[in-house]
Amino acid sequence: MKRHRVEQGDSITSIGFRYGFFPESVWNHPSNQDLKKLRINGDILFPGDEVNIPDLSPASFQKSTGQRHRFRRKGVPARLRIQLLDDHGTRAGQPYELSIDGHKLTGVTSGDGVVEIFVPPDAKQGQLRVGSDLYPLLFGHLDPITEVSGVKARLNNLGFFCGPPDSQLDEATGIALRRFQEHLQLEVTGELDDTTRRELERIHDLPGIIPPIPLED
């Protein structure tokens, strides 16, 4: 069994692909149960986490000789899902161009302003262009909600801008937290309390359509 030390940009999807596994085969392996309890979501890991990689088991098939047989390898794409908002609500029905590691894809946002598409499991970065707006994408760079950097990244992604997603709970972060708390009708303190952290994770990480959030001027 190997042990993989997580670096920024890693996810259980990219790690599994690197070692020849489906992500579920690695994430659900008994040797990773402690990490699974700690991180909950295998695609939101933190640098320094350690993932155990089981040994590969060779597959065998019995087929008759003298005939041609076709084997198809099951694909393992990852799913990218982004909802786009502006001051007027969702950016519905807008053409987009998505560039991922040099490959370009085009489409139109859904009625809820969502871009949802399959991407390579080892994708590292990309750019999403909608109209004149360009959004940089870094896959696997979202830190867990338990880390200050993870809190700040989620605030930024939702339009409550607080600067680079580092480990500093500075004044800009406090202002962003107050705006978020006010929008969600929480107690407005500017502090990173448990309720605020849970609501930020719920709004940002869970599947579904989030309510429109006012962006800064």
Side-chain angles (χ1 to χ4, degrees):
M1 180 175 293
K2 303 182 183 67
R3 181 168 291 180
H4 178 92
R5 189 175 182 85
V6 172
E7 299 179 355
Q8 194 73 61
D10 282 344
S11 68
I12 206 68
T13 299
S14 65
I15 293 170
F17 183 77
R18 173 177 176 178
Y19 291 96
F21 289 94
F22 296 116
E24 297 81 5
S25 300
V26 177
W27 190 236
N28 295 327
H29 193 271
S31 64
N32 289 316
Q33 290 308 298
D34 289 343
L35 178 63
K36 188 175 180 180
K37 292 177 182 178
L38 176 65
R39 296 304 180 204
I40 309 300
N41 185 340
D43 282 327
I44 305 179
L45 303 175
F46 191 67
D49 287 345
E50 292 189 340
V51 179
N52 292 310
I53 310 298
D55 295 328
L56 281 170
S57 300
S60 61
F61 304 91
Q62 291 185 349
K63 296 292 182 180
S64 58
T65 60
Q67 299 181 24
R68 177 177 294 180
H69 303 282
R70 177 177 294 179
F71 297 88
R72 179 174 293 177
R73 181 179 182 271
K74 187 176 180 180
V76 285
R79 187 177 68 165
L80 170 67
R81 187 177 189 279
I82 300 175
Q83 186 185 25
L84 299 169
L85 308 170
D86 59 20
D87 294 323
H88 306 290
T90 57
R91 302 189 64 174
Q94 298 191 21
Y96 68 81
E97 180 180 275
L98 177 63
S99 176
I100 298 178
D101 292 340
H103 300 284
K104 290 186 178 181
L105 302 168
T106 59
V108 178
T109 61
S110 72
D112 295 309
V114 170
V115 173
E116 188 167 12
I117 196 168
F118 288 106
V119 299
D122 57 348
K124 296 300 182 183
Q125 60 185 355
Q127 290 184 334
L128 175 63
R129 182 181 296 278
V130 182
S132 60
D133 297 320
L134 185 64
Y135 304 93
L137 304 174
L138 294 173
F139 300 105
H141 282 249
L142 182 66
D143 289 341
I145 191 66
T146 53
E147 307 294 329
V148 173
S149 55
V151 169
K152 297 180 73 169
R154 288 167 176 80
L155 288 169
N156 285 336
N157 288 347
L158 292 174
F160 301 98
F161 302 112
C162 56
D166 53 30
S167 61
Q168 302 300 314
L169 276 174
D170 50 21
E171 182 180 358
T173 308
I175 293 172
L177 286 170
R178 283 194 290 272
R179 293 183 62 239
F180 177 78
Q181 291 164 341
E182 182 177 9
H183 182 71
L184 271 291
Q185 297 182 348
L186 305 175
E187 183 181 1
V188 180
T189 64
E191 301 293 331
L192 184 55
D193 53 65
D194 290 341
T195 299
T196 300
R197 196 189 298 265
R198 283 195 302 269
E199 285 299 292
L200 182 58
E201 181 179 36
R202 179 183 68 84
I203 292 293
H204 186 280
D205 293 356
L206 295 183
I209 304 302
I210 66 173
I213 293 176
L215 304 182
E216 288 183 344
D217 295 330

